[in-house]
mmCIF file of all heavy atoms in Angstrom:
data_model
loop_
_atom_site.group_PDB
_atom_site.id
_atom_site.type_symbol
_atom_site.label_atom_id
_atom_site.label_comp_id
_atom_site.label_asym_id
_atom_site.label_seq_id
_atom_site.Cartn_x
_atom_site.Cartn_y
_atom_site.Cartn_z
ATOM 1 N N TYR A 116 65.779 -52.328 -75.466
ATOM 2 C CA TYR A 116 66.928 -53.228 -75.364
ATOM 3 C C TYR A 116 67.903 -53.072 -76.533
ATOM 4 O O TYR A 116 69.123 -53.160 -76.353
ATOM 5 C CB TYR A 116 66.452 -54.679 -75.279
ATOM 6 C CG TYR A 116 67.583 -55.682 -75.222
ATOM 7 C CD1 TYR A 116 68.266 -55.905 -74.032
ATOM 8 C CD2 TYR A 116 67.963 -56.391 -76.361
ATOM 9 C CE1 TYR A 116 69.323 -56.809 -73.975
ATOM 10 C CE2 TYR A 116 69.019 -57.301 -76.313
ATOM 11 C CZ TYR A 116 69.687 -57.498 -75.116
ATOM 12 O OH TYR A 116 70.735 -58.390 -75.070
ATOM 13 N N LYS A 117 67.383 -52.816 -77.723
ATOM 14 C CA LYS A 117 68.255 -52.693 -78.898
ATOM 15 C C LYS A 117 69.244 -51.549 -78.750
ATOM 16 O O LYS A 117 70.386 -51.639 -79.213
ATOM 17 C CB LYS A 117 67.408 -52.501 -80.157
ATOM 18 C CG LYS A 117 66.600 -53.729 -80.550
ATOM 19 C CD LYS A 117 65.814 -53.484 -81.830
ATOM 20 C CE LYS A 117 65.008 -54.726 -82.214
ATOM 21 N NZ LYS A 117 64.211 -54.488 -83.461
ATOM 22 N N SER A 118 68.815 -50.485 -78.102
ATOM 23 C CA SER A 118 69.696 -49.327 -77.917
ATOM 24 C C SER A 118 70.535 -49.421 -76.649
ATOM 25 O O SER A 118 71.677 -48.967 -76.608
ATOM 26 C CB SER A 118 68.869 -48.038 -77.863
ATOM 27 O OG SER A 118 68.176 -47.833 -79.080
ATOM 28 N N ASP A 119 69.970 -50.028 -75.595
ATOM 29 C CA ASP A 119 70.606 -49.946 -74.275
ATOM 30 C C ASP A 119 71.278 -51.232 -73.820
ATOM 31 O O ASP A 119 72.058 -51.201 -72.863
ATOM 32 C CB ASP A 119 69.554 -49.525 -73.237
ATOM 33 C CG ASP A 119 68.977 -48.156 -73.543
ATOM 34 O OD1 ASP A 119 69.706 -47.318 -74.092
ATOM 35 O OD2 ASP A 119 67.786 -47.929 -73.245
ATOM 36 N N GLU A 120 70.957 -52.364 -74.432
ATOM 37 C CA GLU A 120 71.587 -53.650 -74.145
ATOM 38 C C GLU A 120 71.700 -53.925 -72.643
ATOM 39 O O GLU A 120 70.701 -54.043 -71.959
ATOM 40 C CB GLU A 120 72.949 -53.717 -74.852
ATOM 41 C CG GLU A 120 72.828 -53.660 -76.367
ATOM 42 C CD GLU A 120 74.154 -53.815 -77.077
ATOM 43 O OE1 GLU A 120 75.204 -53.590 -76.438
ATOM 44 O OE2 GLU A 120 74.138 -54.178 -78.272
ATOM 45 N N SER A 121 72.918 -53.994 -72.093
ATOM 46 C CA SER A 121 73.089 -54.398 -70.695
ATOM 47 C C SER A 121 72.559 -53.357 -69.706
ATOM 48 O O SER A 121 72.449 -53.642 -68.512
ATOM 49 C CB SER A 121 74.569 -54.675 -70.403
ATOM 50 O OG SER A 121 75.337 -53.494 -70.543
ATOM 51 N N TYR A 122 72.223 -52.161 -70.165
ATOM 52 C CA TYR A 122 71.637 -51.136 -69.305
ATOM 53 C C TYR A 122 70.114 -51.313 -69.183
ATOM 54 O O TYR A 122 69.471 -50.601 -68.411
ATOM 55 C CB TYR A 122 71.918 -49.740 -69.849
ATOM 56 C CG TYR A 122 73.351 -49.283 -69.717
ATOM 57 C CD1 TYR A 122 74.280 -49.540 -70.718
ATOM 58 C CD2 TYR A 122 73.780 -48.596 -68.580
ATOM 59 C CE1 TYR A 122 75.598 -49.111 -70.607
ATOM 60 C CE2 TYR A 122 75.088 -48.164 -68.453
ATOM 61 C CZ TYR A 122 75.999 -48.428 -69.470
ATOM 62 O OH TYR A 122 77.298 -48.003 -69.343
ATOM 63 N N THR A 123 69.543 -52.230 -69.924
ATOM 64 C CA THR A 123 68.089 -52.402 -69.954
ATOM 65 C C THR A 123 67.600 -53.186 -68.741
ATOM 66 O O THR A 123 68.127 -54.259 -68.437
ATOM 67 C CB THR A 123 67.664 -53.155 -71.232
ATOM 68 O OG1 THR A 123 68.254 -52.534 -72.367
ATOM 69 C CG2 THR A 123 66.147 -53.137 -71.382
ATOM 70 N N PRO A 124 66.590 -52.690 -68.025
ATOM 71 C CA PRO A 124 66.075 -53.427 -66.861
ATOM 72 C C PRO A 124 65.543 -54.808 -67.251
ATOM 73 O O PRO A 124 64.918 -54.973 -68.302
ATOM 74 C CB PRO A 124 64.922 -52.542 -66.362
ATOM 75 C CG PRO A 124 65.235 -51.171 -66.874
ATOM 76 C CD PRO A 124 65.907 -51.393 -68.203
ATOM 77 N N SER A 125 65.809 -55.798 -66.408
ATOM 78 C CA SER A 125 65.254 -57.142 -66.611
ATOM 79 C C SER A 125 64.282 -57.536 -65.492
ATOM 80 O O SER A 125 63.475 -58.434 -65.666
ATOM 81 C CB SER A 125 66.375 -58.180 -66.698
ATOM 82 O OG SER A 125 67.128 -58.218 -65.485
ATOM 83 N N LYS A 126 64.389 -56.866 -64.360
ATOM 84 C CA LYS A 126 63.448 -57.108 -63.257
ATOM 85 C C LYS A 126 63.119 -55.785 -62.580
ATOM 86 O O LYS A 126 64.013 -55.040 -62.176
ATOM 87 C CB LYS A 126 64.032 -58.080 -62.231
ATOM 88 C CG LYS A 126 63.077 -58.405 -61.085
ATOM 89 C CD LYS A 126 63.717 -59.310 -60.034
ATOM 90 C CE LYS A 126 63.920 -60.714 -60.566
ATOM 91 N NZ LYS A 126 64.394 -61.628 -59.481
ATOM 92 N N ILE A 127 61.826 -55.494 -62.482
ATOM 93 C CA ILE A 127 61.356 -54.238 -61.906
ATOM 94 C C ILE A 127 60.317 -54.533 -60.825
ATOM 95 O O ILE A 127 59.447 -55.388 -60.998
ATOM 96 C CB ILE A 127 60.735 -53.329 -62.982
ATOM 97 C CG1 ILE A 127 61.812 -52.829 -63.951
ATOM 98 C CG2 ILE A 127 60.018 -52.140 -62.360
ATOM 99 C CD1 ILE A 127 61.269 -51.989 -65.094
ATOM 100 N N SER A 128 60.423 -53.805 -59.731
ATOM 101 C CA SER A 128 59.436 -53.885 -58.650
ATOM 102 C C SER A 128 58.742 -52.528 -58.538
ATOM 103 O O SER A 128 59.393 -51.486 -58.567
ATOM 104 C CB SER A 128 60.122 -54.234 -57.324
ATOM 105 O OG SER A 128 59.217 -54.104 -56.241
ATOM 106 N N VAL A 129 57.400 -52.557 -58.414
ATOM 107 C CA VAL A 129 56.618 -51.331 -58.241
ATOM 108 C C VAL A 129 55.958 -51.375 -56.877
ATOM 109 O O VAL A 129 55.271 -52.348 -56.536
ATOM 110 C CB VAL A 129 55.558 -51.183 -59.359
ATOM 111 C CG1 VAL A 129 54.754 -49.904 -59.144
ATOM 112 C CG2 VAL A 129 56.221 -51.166 -60.728
ATOM 113 N N ARG A 130 56.177 -50.297 -56.090
ATOM 114 C CA ARG A 130 55.682 -50.252 -54.718
ATOM 115 C C ARG A 130 54.883 -48.970 -54.505
ATOM 116 O O ARG A 130 55.180 -47.938 -55.116
ATOM 117 C CB ARG A 130 56.858 -50.293 -53.743
ATOM 118 C CG ARG A 130 57.787 -51.484 -53.986
ATOM 119 C CD ARG A 130 59.226 -51.162 -53.675
ATOM 120 N NE ARG A 130 60.123 -52.300 -53.951
ATOM 121 C CZ ARG A 130 61.441 -52.252 -53.789
ATOM 122 N NH1 ARG A 130 62.022 -51.145 -53.353
ATOM 123 N NH2 ARG A 130 62.183 -53.303 -54.077
ATOM 124 N N VAL A 131 53.898 -49.022 -53.632
ATOM 125 C CA VAL A 131 53.103 -47.838 -53.306
ATOM 126 C C VAL A 131 52.978 -47.733 -51.789
ATOM 127 O O VAL A 131 53.124 -48.716 -51.061
ATOM 128 C CB VAL A 131 51.695 -47.895 -53.942
ATOM 129 C CG1 VAL A 131 51.785 -47.926 -55.457
ATOM 130 C CG2 VAL A 131 50.903 -49.097 -53.430
ATOM 131 N N GLY A 132 52.712 -46.507 -51.316
ATOM 132 C CA GLY A 132 52.545 -46.295 -49.889
ATOM 133 C C GLY A 132 52.425 -44.821 -49.565
ATOM 134 O O GLY A 132 52.435 -43.959 -50.449
ATOM 135 N N ASN A 133 52.341 -44.514 -48.276
ATOM 136 C CA ASN A 133 52.234 -43.126 -47.822
ATOM 137 C C ASN A 133 53.589 -42.433 -47.776
ATOM 138 O O ASN A 133 53.683 -41.212 -47.944
ATOM 139 C CB ASN A 133 51.583 -43.068 -46.434
ATOM 140 C CG ASN A 133 50.124 -43.498 -46.472
ATOM 141 O OD1 ASN A 133 49.442 -43.339 -47.471
ATOM 142 N ND2 ASN A 133 49.654 -44.057 -45.351
ATOM 143 N N ASN A 134 54.657 -43.212 -47.529
ATOM 144 C CA ASN A 134 56.005 -42.664 -47.450
ATOM 145 C C ASN A 134 57.013 -43.806 -47.625
ATOM 146 O O ASN A 134 56.627 -44.954 -47.874
ATOM 147 C CB ASN A 134 56.221 -41.927 -46.118
ATOM 148 C CG ASN A 134 55.848 -42.783 -44.920
ATOM 149 O OD1 ASN A 134 56.363 -43.881 -44.739
ATOM 150 N ND2 ASN A 134 54.911 -42.285 -44.095
ATOM 151 N N PHE A 135 58.298 -43.488 -47.445
ATOM 152 C CA PHE A 135 59.340 -44.492 -47.646
ATOM 153 C C PHE A 135 59.247 -45.643 -46.645
ATOM 154 O O PHE A 135 59.758 -46.736 -46.907
ATOM 155 C CB PHE A 135 60.723 -43.843 -47.530
ATOM 156 C CG PHE A 135 61.092 -42.976 -48.693
ATOM 157 C CD1 PHE A 135 60.908 -41.607 -48.636
ATOM 158 C CD2 PHE A 135 61.626 -43.528 -49.857
ATOM 159 C CE1 PHE A 135 61.249 -40.791 -49.710
ATOM 160 C CE2 PHE A 135 61.966 -42.728 -50.935
ATOM 161 C CZ PHE A 135 61.776 -41.358 -50.858
ATOM 162 N N HIS A 136 58.607 -45.418 -45.504
ATOM 163 C CA HIS A 136 58.635 -46.404 -44.427
ATOM 164 C C HIS A 136 57.542 -47.466 -44.529
ATOM 165 O O HIS A 136 57.616 -48.484 -43.825
ATOM 166 C CB HIS A 136 58.527 -45.687 -43.078
ATOM 167 C CG HIS A 136 59.611 -44.670 -42.847
ATOM 168 N ND1 HIS A 136 60.934 -45.014 -42.689
ATOM 169 C CD2 HIS A 136 59.558 -43.311 -42.786
ATOM 170 C CE1 HIS A 136 61.659 -43.928 -42.524
ATOM 171 N NE2 HIS A 136 60.844 -42.874 -42.580
ATOM 172 N N ASN A 137 56.535 -47.254 -45.366
ATOM 173 C CA ASN A 137 55.464 -48.261 -45.437
ATOM 174 C C ASN A 137 55.130 -48.655 -46.871
ATOM 175 O O ASN A 137 53.992 -49.004 -47.185
ATOM 176 C CB ASN A 137 54.211 -47.769 -44.708
ATOM 177 C CG ASN A 137 53.553 -46.576 -45.403
ATOM 178 O OD1 ASN A 137 54.097 -46.017 -46.350
ATOM 179 N ND2 ASN A 137 52.375 -46.192 -44.933
ATOM 180 N N LEU A 138 56.125 -48.628 -47.740
ATOM 181 C CA LEU A 138 55.905 -49.030 -49.134
ATOM 182 C C LEU A 138 55.610 -50.530 -49.212
ATOM 183 O O LEU A 138 56.242 -51.338 -48.532
ATOM 184 C CB LEU A 138 57.134 -48.708 -49.985
ATOM 185 C CG LEU A 138 57.422 -47.223 -50.217
ATOM 186 C CD1 LEU A 138 58.777 -47.051 -50.903
ATOM 187 C CD2 LEU A 138 56.322 -46.582 -51.050
ATOM 188 N N GLN A 139 54.658 -50.876 -50.066
ATOM 189 C CA GLN A 139 54.309 -52.280 -50.285
ATOM 190 C C GLN A 139 54.373 -52.583 -51.779
ATOM 191 O O GLN A 139 53.868 -51.809 -52.594
ATOM 192 C CB GLN A 139 52.907 -52.580 -49.748
ATOM 193 C CG GLN A 139 52.781 -52.458 -48.246
ATOM 194 C CD GLN A 139 51.417 -52.890 -47.744
ATOM 195 O OE1 GLN A 139 50.451 -52.969 -48.500
ATOM 196 N NE2 GLN A 139 51.326 -53.184 -46.457
ATOM 197 N N GLU A 140 54.985 -53.695 -52.115
ATOM 198 C CA GLU A 140 55.094 -54.091 -53.519
ATOM 199 C C GLU A 140 53.730 -54.547 -54.038
ATOM 200 O O GLU A 140 53.072 -55.386 -53.425
ATOM 201 C CB GLU A 140 56.111 -55.216 -53.674
ATOM 202 C CG GLU A 140 56.305 -55.662 -55.113
ATOM 203 C CD GLU A 140 57.358 -56.740 -55.238
ATOM 204 O OE1 GLU A 140 56.989 -57.929 -55.138
ATOM 205 O OE2 GLU A 140 58.551 -56.394 -55.412
ATOM 206 N N ILE A 141 53.319 -53.994 -55.179
ATOM 207 C CA ILE A 141 52.057 -54.427 -55.794
ATOM 208 C C ILE A 141 52.289 -55.123 -57.130
ATOM 209 O O ILE A 141 51.399 -55.819 -57.620
ATOM 210 C CB ILE A 141 51.084 -53.249 -55.982
ATOM 211 C CG1 ILE A 141 51.688 -52.167 -56.881
ATOM 212 C CG2 ILE A 141 50.662 -52.677 -54.642
ATOM 213 C CD1 ILE A 141 50.693 -51.089 -57.271
ATOM 214 N N ARG A 142 53.462 -54.941 -57.727
ATOM 215 C CA ARG A 142 53.781 -55.622 -58.981
ATOM 216 C C ARG A 142 55.280 -55.891 -59.034
ATOM 217 O O ARG A 142 56.093 -55.086 -58.589
ATOM 218 C CB ARG A 142 53.420 -54.753 -60.198
ATOM 219 C CG ARG A 142 51.943 -54.516 -60.422
ATOM 220 C CD ARG A 142 51.245 -55.745 -60.978
ATOM 221 N NE ARG A 142 49.863 -55.458 -61.326
ATOM 222 C CZ ARG A 142 48.843 -55.468 -60.471
ATOM 223 N NH1 ARG A 142 49.057 -55.772 -59.203
ATOM 224 N NH2 ARG A 142 47.606 -55.193 -60.869
ATOM 225 N N GLN A 143 55.646 -57.055 -59.600
ATOM 226 C CA GLN A 143 57.040 -57.330 -59.950
ATOM 227 C C GLN A 143 57.057 -57.892 -61.361
ATOM 228 O O GLN A 143 56.291 -58.818 -61.681
ATOM 229 C CB GLN A 143 57.697 -58.307 -58.969
ATOM 230 C CG GLN A 143 59.189 -58.465 -59.241
ATOM 231 C CD GLN A 143 59.913 -59.272 -58.179
ATOM 232 O OE1 GLN A 143 60.550 -60.273 -58.507
ATOM 233 N NE2 GLN A 143 59.830 -58.848 -56.920
ATOM 234 N N LEU A 144 57.894 -57.330 -62.215
ATOM 235 C CA LEU A 144 57.902 -57.696 -63.614
ATOM 236 C C LEU A 144 59.251 -58.284 -64.011
ATOM 237 O O LEU A 144 60.301 -57.772 -63.626
ATOM 238 C CB LEU A 144 57.632 -56.472 -64.510
ATOM 239 C CG LEU A 144 56.269 -55.799 -64.452
ATOM 240 C CD1 LEU A 144 56.176 -54.878 -63.249
ATOM 241 C CD2 LEU A 144 56.019 -55.014 -65.725
ATOM 242 N N GLU A 145 59.198 -59.350 -64.803
ATOM 243 C CA GLU A 145 60.377 -59.915 -65.446
ATOM 244 C C GLU A 145 60.332 -59.492 -66.912
ATOM 245 O O GLU A 145 59.370 -59.816 -67.621
ATOM 246 C CB GLU A 145 60.383 -61.438 -65.327
ATOM 247 C CG GLU A 145 60.425 -61.973 -63.906
ATOM 248 C CD GLU A 145 61.834 -61.974 -63.321
ATOM 249 O OE1 GLU A 145 62.798 -61.741 -64.089
ATOM 250 O OE2 GLU A 145 61.956 -62.207 -62.108
ATOM 251 N N LEU A 146 61.348 -58.778 -67.362
ATOM 252 C CA LEU A 146 61.361 -58.242 -68.718
ATOM 253 C C LEU A 146 62.398 -58.982 -69.561
ATOM 254 O O LEU A 146 63.529 -59.197 -69.111
ATOM 255 C CB LEU A 146 61.692 -56.742 -68.694
ATOM 256 C CG LEU A 146 60.818 -55.876 -67.764
ATOM 257 C CD1 LEU A 146 61.328 -54.443 -67.769
ATOM 258 C CD2 LEU A 146 59.365 -55.942 -68.193
ATOM 259 N N VAL A 147 61.999 -59.350 -70.771
ATOM 260 C CA VAL A 147 62.901 -60.049 -71.689
ATOM 261 C C VAL A 147 63.092 -59.179 -72.923
ATOM 262 O O VAL A 147 62.196 -59.056 -73.767
ATOM 263 C CB VAL A 147 62.345 -61.435 -72.081
ATOM 264 C CG1 VAL A 147 63.310 -62.132 -73.042
ATOM 265 C CG2 VAL A 147 62.100 -62.290 -70.847
#
Side-chain angles (χ1 to χ4, degrees):
Y116 178 79
K117 291 182 180 179
S118 298
D119 298 328
E120 297 184 340
S121 64
Y122 288 90
T123 310
S125 61
K126 182 183 290 187
I127 292 177
S128 171
V129 180
R130 306 147 182 178
V131 298
N133 293 331
N134 52 56
F135 287 97
H136 302 293
N137 67 352
L138 291 172
Q139 294 185 342
E140 181 178 89
I141 60 171
R142 292 285 186 276
Q143 187 172 124
L144 294 80
E145 299 279 350
L146 307 176
V147 180

